[in-house]
Amino acid sequence: MNFSTLLSLVLMLVQLWPCSLSTQNHSAQSTDQSFTAVRRVKRSWVWEPLFATEEQTSMVPVYVGQLKSDLDKQDGNLKYILTGEGAGSTFIIDENNGKIYVTQKLDREKKSFYTLRAQAISRSTQLPVEPESEFIIKVRDINDHEPQFLDGPYVATVPEMSPEGTSVTQVTATDGDDPSYGNSARLLYSLIQGQPYFSVEPKTGVIRMASQMDRETKDQYLVIIQAKDMVGQAGAFSATATVTINLSDINDNPPKFQQRLYHMNVSEEAPVGTTVGKVFAEDSDIGENAAMNYSIEEDSSGVFDIITNNETQEGIILLKKRVDYESKRRYSIRAKVVNRYIDYRFLKEGPFEDKTVVKISVEDADEPPVFTLENYVMEIAEGAMSGSLVGIVTARDPDDDDSPVRYSIVHGMHLKGLFSINEHNGTIITTRPLDREIASWHNITVTATETRNPEKISEANVYIQVLDVNDNAPEFSKYYETFVCENAVSGQLIQSISAVDQDDSAEGHHFYFSLAQEATNNSHFTVKDNQDNTAGIFTAKSGFRRQDQFYFYLPILILDNGNPPLTSTNTLTITVCNCDTEVNTFYCRYGAFMYAMGLSTEALVAVLACILILLVFFLAIVAIRQQRKKSLFSEKMEEFRENIVRYDDEGGGEEDTEAFDISALRTRTVMRTHKPRKKVTTEIHSLYRQSLQVGPDSAIFRQFISEKLEEANTDPTVPPYDSLQTYAFEGTGSLAGSLSSLGSNMSDADQSYEYLTDWGPHFKQLAGMYASHRSAGD
């Protein structure tokens, strides 16, 4: 007892000790004291679960419940405080007694509970006497929502003839009310429309078959389901949903032929695969359940066949073999139809098949000749003499009149002239020898034509095999490029060889290799037959010198196993290479090429260097010329649009009356040709005197000028008016002769210019220039 009293005093001192702290630290101390009190004081809240009913409307706050502490002495010393969701707005508390009220209308579907916190504080010390505690106010549900079918309308499918109780589908309604409280969200399902074919389970909403139904009678049903809350009690809300139920097909109906007997006709000349006719069976089912297969029974001849058209479900009768009116004129077959997919549950009701009879009549026709065989295979040895027998083909007219037949060969371009046929008896012979190595088979087409009706023609294929004769000798299989090193040792393999033969050996080719007779004494190389159609070439000595012999030609004898055996001699060229013991093919080829050119490596390098230098020099010259090349006319000359009409005829001077005939210019169209220049020598001085006979005062010259002017004004094809026309004519009145030096055979240094002084005062300055020039030259 004393210990308990002591413990109570200690606890009281601990609670009162924080009150002795100074005022300036009062806020922080109060927080510490509150924490200490909450942590140390034993919890003593007393309350029961709190509920508030939704959708309540009242002018005054509605009582929810009461919070109470067992430390409350009912003396008004405790103050209750409420915090959390909706505190002070939706919920209020009486701070004196802890009673809680709701002031607003609640909606459980929006918020089903509220989390709040309560605290009890001593009014005298403003310290909590109870720790802050969290509690929940649940919103109690009322029936204020109707059921809803969120997935409607529904569509379901169930096989026809399903037994009673078969589940069709399930409908589900939802209710926004609280399923854990009362019956507001407890639904009950019922069938409003759909009896007596369907039923629904009240609690689960599962729709089931209530009776067997046939799709061929009715394939779709409309069912209405109702859902009520409050377990269907008075005042309950309800909703309905529409369910469309389709009956799917099952194979419960057999196929039936429309006719018990069918009549059809077919011509005897109809080819295989011809459609003879069609039969059809009906089936009340749909889809794959109506799929059927047709077949033929009781047809031992095998002349006809039947296939099924999967799109139309018809049976198509086809001609499987050719028919002959003269052999058989009527056929009777039995067609059978069976469902492709059978439901074995309904087999007891009868077989899912049907049968009918089809009678087919053969119509007579004028048929072409018929060969005894469709394809003929014949043989002939190659090289057979012209006119050798290859074989015989035979055809006959199948009709009653048995018309004679005429044979011929359809010659192709590649077979022209190889074979011929006797048009009366069908005997095929060769027209020239055949070579199997060119073509081992020949395919020809032989026709048979009725002599009385040439339009009736039939064909047969003849395959002629050319039998092989050993007439080709074996030879190397390829060209061998063989090298041997200068340092090769004796017995070293330098080449492996093989052979081919164009002939065809029935036992397989076998070749034998050896040195030819003329090389049996060869002391450089040997041949070893490997007995597998290959052979090896080996060195017979050590060391070779290119300076002594660069090439070796080794004749090799190859023998085949034909009958009779044939041989051939093939020469293998062996090149000596500057290498050690292993051959470098590229290096050896290079050495052989240099040897064939007769050049050494140093000489080839020098030649290439010279070619490179010449190429660079040539490119440099071309570049310099391109830079120096300039246009003969400037852009200003193009702006004046001047044309220079050039005449290539050159005269010999004023006295040369034969070199240029001015009368030729008087015609409107002048065709100028290049004439060889006339040699003009020292006669230039005499030509001056002759030129005085024609001058500007001449009537001929004036007429020429007038004609050219008129031509320039009227002809649109002549050069423009501002053209420069140069004529080789010098007028009269000049004491100087022609200045042309084209015909001069003297150089400037040898020519004398003293005659310039005789030309008068007009040429005094020119005479002085040439006189001074000659003095300077001397």
Side-chain angles (χ1 to χ4, degrees), residues 40-51:
R40 294 178 180 272
V41 177
K42 183 180 179 181
R43 178 176 178 179
S44 55
W45 283 108
V46 178
W47 63 60
E48 294 180 356
L50 303 178
F51 296 94

Side-chain angles (χ1 to χ4, degrees), residues 34 38 43-48 50 65-69 78-88 91-95 97-100 114-122 127-137:
S34 299
V38 171
R43 178 176 178 179
S44 55
W45 283 108
V46 178
W47 63 60
E48 294 180 356
L50 303 178
Q66 184 178 8
L67 300 178
K68 187 176 181 181
S69 174
L78 290 182
K79 178 181 179 182
Y80 294 94
I81 300 175
L82 186 66
T83 59
E85 294 179 333
F91 299 97
I92 59 175
I93 189 171
D94 189 337
E95 63 181 12
N97 53 26
K99 292 182 179 181
I100 300 175
Y114 293 84
T115 302
L116 297 101
R117 293 179 297 278
Q119 191 176 23
I121 300 176
S122 173
L127 296 176
V129 297
E130 288 284 2
E132 186 179 55
S133 182
E134 185 176 271
F135 64 95
I136 295 175
I137 298 178

Side-chain angles (χ1 to χ4, degrees), residues 546 550-551 587-605 607-608:
R546 293 197 304 172
F550 196 84
Y551 295 108
Y587 178 75
C588 292
R589 287 176 180 172
Y590 170 75
F593 172 76
M594 296 299 297
Y595 179 81
M597 296 293 294
L599 297 174
S600 63
T601 303
E602 295 78 3
L604 180 62
V605 171
V607 170
L608 293 177

